[in-house]
Amino acid sequence: MKKTVLVSGGAGFIGSHVTVELARAGYDVLIADNFSNCDETNYKGVCAILGRELPMIPMDFCHKSAVEDLFDRHHIDAVIHFAAFKAVGESVAEPLKYYRNNLTSFINILEAARSQGGCNVLFSSSATVYGQTDKLPVTEDTPRQPAESPYGNTKTMCEDILRDSVKAYPGVRGIALRYFNPIGAHPSALIGELPRGVPNNLVPFITQTAIGKRECLSVFGNDYPTPDGTCLRDFIDIVDLAKAHVCAVARMLDGRMKQDYEIFNVGTGRPLSVLELITAFEKVNGVKLNWKYAPRRPGDVVAIWADPTRAEQELGWKAERSVEQTLATAWAWEKHLASLSF
Ligand code: WQD
């Protein structure tokens, strides 16, 4: 029998790509989203890629009774939880908004899962939980550090909430995937990242500068102790990242977990500097980018990249796409968006 996977925040950037890969792998997918930080573009794109409508439930996971109702009405074999606020800077200015939303929604899901007698829960975590560590690359056993922002704290706290729930409630199993820097878009250019207002993240800022929406890209800091002075990151293709979720869900549903709570890094294992990324973007897409150096951005770690060995050995997952392929999809997506607005 087909298994059903609930994807909270399924209309967002990561959620929409994961939905496509789950559906292609043969799962029934229930998308739920409150559209607080996105419109229907990605949902429509998902349906266009798959050539069929997927069920979409407009709902807010902070409403406990709505979450209970959802679990009462549907048989849910696994949940992937993306629905959360994610702007690092805003979380510093509005910490309570972040704690209320990101923690409440996850607790509501876990309580509903528990009252159903258990569930498989995949939590979308982040490399932000590692902070800046001297020992690179980071493995899953690298100690976590106090986060730089309330947003980062909600990731650490939700990991702990999941770990403790799995320990206490029989039938609840969990996996936390720690993403490095997800970038790019679906090769169809029908789904991708849709930042509201001025983008905080590097690649959307690059593509918006290239298309002329932004005048100039600021490279935050050129005096870091790295080979070219700019920060080092592990940029992971969004479709590769989405496929890691399919592997993790299959592991949970097939009873292959070695412990009831597991953690995996989802990265390439290759560090790339901000400058190297800009150069690769210009080269693969044949565009010249207007950029300048600017002061360091508060809260940025100097360098972080994954040791993805555990994901490879245990999930059978590995990043496959080159950064050039990924940056070509990011540019195709930006051009697609521009064509929509004309
Ligand atoms: C990457 C590098 C910037 C913009 C954040 C969150 C993380 C995760 C992904 C999201 C840094 C530099 C950026 C610009 C620049 N969560 N940069 N000019 O900060 O590594 O990770 O996003 O939901 O939890 O912390 O990603 O893309 O913002 O920055 O020079 O205009 O690019 O300084 O070195 P980051 P990023």
Side-chain angles (χ1 to χ4, degrees):
M1 210 180 96
K2 268 181 137 183
K3 302 277 187 186
T4 300
V5 183
L6 168 67
V7 182
S8 82
F13 172 44
I14 303 180
S16 57
H17 288 81
V18 169
T19 296
V20 167
E21 296 308 318
L22 286 169
R24 286 196 164 158
Y27 293 103
D28 277 335
V29 187
L30 273 180
I31 307 173
D33 209 299
N34 68 352
F35 296 97
S36 67
N37 195 32
C38 63
D39 59 20
E40 290 209 342
T41 308
N42 276 336
Y43 171 63
K44 287 182 183 152
V46 166
C47 299
I49 291 167
L50 296 172
R52 64 192 162 95
E53 291 273 309
L54 288 191
M56 154 62 72
I57 303 158
M59 64 173 283
D60 187 336
F61 282 84
C62 287
H63 293 159
K64 191 167 162 54
S65 57
V67 182
E68 285 168 349
D69 196 46
L70 179 72
F71 275 77
D72 284 342
R73 274 192 289 127
H74 300 272
H75 176 83
I76 294 166
D77 296 291
V79 186
I80 308 184
H81 180 53
F82 295 109
F85 293 151
K86 61 170 187 177
V88 178
E90 187 193 38
S91 79
V92 177
E94 291 264 24
L96 294 177
K97 175 178 169 183
Y98 275 66
Y99 289 123
R100 176 179 291 281
N101 185 69
N102 293 7
L103 302 184
T104 307
S105 55
F106 195 41
I107 291 169
N108 285 344
I109 286 176
L110 287 167
E111 283 186 332
R114 180 202 173 191
S115 57
Q116 298 290 317
C119 194
N120 298 289
V121 180
L122 198 161
F123 177 62
S124 122
S125 191
S126 165
T128 195
V129 302
Y130 295 117
Q132 180 64 76
T133 151
D134 297 337
K135 225 180 128 270
L136 289 163
V138 291
T139 73
E140 292 80 356
D141 299 324
T142 302
R144 295 178 311 179
Q145 312 236 26
E148 286 279 348
S149 68
Y151 160 78
N153 266 330
T154 66
K155 292 295 178 194
T156 310
M157 291 161 122
C158 284
E159 282 194 356
D160 291 347
I161 290 169
L162 181 56
R163 181 201 60 205
D164 295 346
S165 301
V166 163
K167 216 184 285 171
Y169 307 129
V172 178
R173 283 173 295 275
I175 290 183
L177 295 183
R178 291 180 179 158
Y179 314 144
F180 284 67
N181 287 61
I183 61 164
H186 196 265
S188 65
L190 292 171
I191 55 176
E193 205 165 353
L194 276 166
R196 289 214 164 144
V198 182
N200 295 309
N201 297 115
L202 179 59
V203 170
F205 210 105
I206 289 179
T207 55
Q208 289 196 7
T209 307
I211 205 105
K213 253 179 153 170
R214 312 271 156 214
E215 211 169 293
C216 184
L217 165 75
S218 292
V219 172
F220 300 135
N222 64 342
D223 57 353
Y224 284 105
T226 59
D228 64 21
T230 66
C231 293
L232 297 173
R233 292 290 183 275
D234 184 333
F235 297 99
I236 168 83
D237 181 271
I238 187 67
V239 176
D240 277 341
L241 179 111
K243 288 179 176 165
H245 294 72
V246 179
C247 297
V249 164
R251 180 178 174 92
M252 292 199 283
L253 293 178
D254 299 348
R256 285 188 278 113
M257 291 175 76
K258 291 194 175 150
Q259 284 155 1
D260 285 342
Y261 174 60
E262 295 179 329
I263 303 168
F264 297 99
N265 283 341
V266 184
T268 66
R270 287 187 313 257
L272 210 71
S273 77
V274 172
L275 267 194
E276 284 172 321
L277 190 88
I278 293 171
T279 309
F281 180 87
E282 290 183 323
K283 202 166 157 205
V284 71
N285 294 314
V287 294
K288 194 89 201 82
L289 210 64
N290 189 23
W291 66 268
K292 64 171 194 302
Y293 285 122
R296 291 180 178 195
R297 183 172 71 175
D300 273 340
V301 297
V302 180
I304 185 139
W305 67 95
D307 178 339
T309 309
R310 188 188 285 180
E312 191 175 343
Q313 288 176 348
E314 297 292 327
L315 294 180
W317 172 88
K318 201 171 159 206
E320 283 168 355
R321 295 169 72 82
S322 69
V323 77
E324 286 79 13
Q325 285 174 309
T326 306
L327 290 170
T329 63
W331 183 224
W333 166 245
E334 189 66 59
K335 287 191 290 188
H336 171 70
L337 284 179
S339 74
L340 293 181
S341 58
F342 286 122

